[in-house]
Amino acid sequence: MTSSEVGSGSVEEAAAVFTAARPRLFGIAYRMLGSVAEAEDLVQDVWLRWQAYDRATVVNPAAFLATTTTRLAINALQSARARRETYVGPWLPEPVDTSADPYLGAERGEALEFAAVLLMEKLTPNERAAYVLREAFDYPYAQIADILRSTEPAVRQLVSRARKHMRGERRTPASTAAQRELLTAFIVAARSGDLTALERLFTPEVTSMSDGNGMPRVSRTPIVGVPRVAGFMSAVSGWLWRDLDVRWVSVNGRAAVVLRRDGGARPIHAVLTVCATADGIDRVLWMFNPEKIAAVSGLA
Amino acid sequence: MNRHDDVVRGFAEACRRGDVAALRAALAADAVAECDGGGVVPAAVDPVRGAGDVARLVAVLLHTRPDTELTVESVNGRAGLALRRDGRAVAVVAVEVAGGRVAVLWVVLNPAKLSGWHRR
């Protein structure tokens, strides 16, 4: 092998590099276009370009391939959107079978859910690219800036705008009836200390907060995350609910329960409520502060 | 999330039985169904809203006969539904769950988008 052949690399080498990068390139293209067929065509186009390219000049092949894929996807998205304007009826993404494609489903599931792919249709192509690279593939801002021929502060802006948009649209609070149902399910699970049932009720970022104004036996810092909140509720189930009387009330238009000791004989011990979104309970709120719950006593 | 899976499994069971009342009960009151037929197969052109209308739509669209099979599968990373006739996918449905009920159904019927879903 001559030195020039080593420099430019053989076709086998080029193929090996491309094959290793392929799942990620497809992941980027699919999230950008919402179409398996278009993503496959695009990745094929990247392969042809990679074969024809002077690869000796490429320092980081994986970065080069991701850059090429992203830029082509931005162009493809623009023309795809023009075509979709004449689509008959609602346009939905092409669903992907995530059990058949473990890379897509398991390694980084972000920005893959149907609702997310649909919502990303409302982002500008650059916002969408920045969001996908950051959320789904965890690229550093500096690298995203290179890919988008932009600056790091501008990319941070793009990602933050995209996140805000995605959050704003998705975080629809649960209806009052759903919230009441979730609170009921929470109390049942918390009372029995059923860890699995508790875990199922929570969103990943669930937080339990207690307002006790420094009262003894009241946690002063929030408990965050499914394992910790579920674990805590399960651990205290043995004593927390003993002799507690649970009575339903409506606080600020939301379902809550008033908890009293000794089957309701003593003054209010606490008021408990939950905040929920479409995905489940994301806040468990305990109000122990007597001053703040005094007003509720009239209701219970 | 497991809760999501449970709701989708229950919904699929109601579909298999063609039980409109059970479908209705499994749907949020303000449930929405969006169908993508791509202008190729008959589908609702506007989103269908409300548990009653969505239940009736689903009973027709996802109705299982002896030659069709409705299964719960991983659609874009979450439990969804696939309806196949003789191994050919005729519908793939992505589902959003809210408060223990089905809130949104995205029903993909466009054959051009189902090629990856055929079996056998």
Side-chain angles (χ1 to χ4, degrees):
Chain A
M1 207 181 264
T2 69
S3 61
S4 83
E5 273 175 313
V6 170
S8 61
S10 65
V11 175
E12 285 77 21
E13 248 180 277
V17 167
F18 185 82
T19 304
R22 200 180 190 292
R24 169 164 290 201
L25 305 183
F26 178 78
I28 293 171
Y30 173 75
R31 286 170 172 85
M32 284 295 291
L33 299 168
S35 162
V36 175
E38 286 171 34
E40 275 169 357
D41 285 351
L42 191 145
V43 171
Q44 186 59 24
D45 192 6
V46 175
W47 162 240
L48 296 176
R49 283 165 192 249
W50 176 238
Q51 264 188 305
Y53 204 79
D54 179 9
R55 294 185 298 277
T57 62
V58 177
V59 181
N60 183 342
F64 174 88
L65 291 169
T67 302
T68 309
T69 303
T70 307
R71 289 184 186 163
L72 286 175
I74 289 171
N75 292 340
L77 182 58
Q78 271 148 354
S79 53
R81 280 183 178 172
R83 262 182 285 125
R84 283 168 203 169
E85 278 172 21
T86 59
Y87 197 83
V88 181
W91 178 91
L92 294 179
E94 183 175 347
V96 277
D97 179 355
T98 30
S99 62
D101 193 338
Y103 182 89
L104 256 185
E107 197 183 335
R108 292 288 292 187
E110 277 81 357
L112 186 67
E113 278 173 28
F114 226 71
V117 178
L118 260 176
L119 269 180
M120 285 194 290
E121 282 290 311
K122 292 183 183 163
L123 304 178
T124 67
N126 274 335
E127 275 173 358
R128 186 166 181 173
Y131 183 78
V132 164
L133 294 173
R134 185 69 201 160
E135 295 293 301
F137 300 102
D138 210 19
Y139 278 68
Y141 285 105
Q143 197 182 341
I144 300 174
D146 284 344
I147 293 173
L148 299 180
R149 298 191 185 93
S150 182
T151 63
E152 209 179 307
V155 166
R156 283 181 188 275
Q157 269 286 328
L158 281 178
V159 172
S160 127
R161 264 210 306 273
R163 272 185 192 144
K164 204 183 276 173
H165 188 91
M166 300 288 286
R167 253 203 314 272
E169 297 263 348
R170 289 212 66 191
R171 288 269 171 133
T172 41
S175 68
T176 316
Q179 188 247 341
R180 192 189 162 108
E181 257 177 55
L182 284 169
L183 179 57
T184 310
F186 171 77
I187 292 169
V188 170
R191 248 182 172 162
S192 62
D194 186 339
L195 197 61
T196 318
L198 283 165
E199 283 170 347
R200 284 186 177 198
L201 290 170
F202 295 146
T203 64
E205 66 285 359
V206 61
T207 308
S208 171
M209 292 196 287
S210 304
D211 177 353
N213 195 23
M215 283 169 73
R217 294 193 92 174
V218 174
S219 168
R220 294 178 192 210
T221 49
I223 306 170
V224 184
V226 173
R228 299 192 57 210
V229 177
F232 178 77
M233 291 317 310
S234 175
V236 300
S237 64
W239 59 267
L240 179 72
W241 301 90
R242 201 183 305 143
D243 304 328
L244 268 188
D245 174 65
V246 177
R247 207 162 298 175
W248 286 91
V249 290
S250 181
V251 178
N252 295 352
R254 78 174 37 252
V257 289
V258 165
L259 306 173
R260 289 173 199 265
R261 289 267 172 236
D262 297 330
R266 279 203 261 167
I268 293 180
H269 173 63
V271 174
L272 164 67
T273 188
V274 296
C275 300
T277 68
D279 290 328
I281 296 173
D282 65 352
R283 289 273 182 286
V284 181
L285 301 169
W286 303 86
M287 286 159 277
F288 290 99
N289 187 342
E291 285 168 24
K292 292 189 185 172
I293 56 181
V296 186
S297 57
L299 297 165
Chain B
M1 200 177 291
N2 297 332
R3 190 178 162 74
H4 178 98
D5 294 8
D6 293 345
V7 173
V8 174
R9 270 195 290 272
F11 191 75
E13 198 36 58
C15 286
R16 288 188 198 107
R17 293 199 311 266
D19 183 342
V20 178
L23 284 170
R24 208 187 161 119
L27 288 158
D30 53 357
V32 183
E34 273 193 65
C35 299
D36 177 350
V40 189
V41 294
V45 170
D46 293 315
V48 175
R49 293 173 194 282
D53 287 351
V54 173
R56 279 190 292 274
L57 176 83
V58 167
V60 174
L61 275 183
L62 304 180
H63 168 73
T64 50
R65 303 186 313 223
D67 60 340
T68 55
E69 193 191 15
L70 184 77
T71 48
V72 175
E73 290 178 37
S74 181
V75 180
N76 287 47
R78 299 202 106 174
L81 305 168
L83 184 75
R84 293 193 183 82
R85 190 157 295 143
D86 296 326
R88 282 189 71 79
V90 288
V92 172
V93 185
V95 185
E96 180 142 305
V97 170
R101 291 214 165 81
V102 171
V104 187
L105 294 168
W106 292 286
V107 187
V108 179
L109 301 159
N110 185 349
K113 296 183 180 182
L114 298 175
S115 54
W117 292 83
H118 303 320
R119 295 285 179 270
R120 275 181 274 168

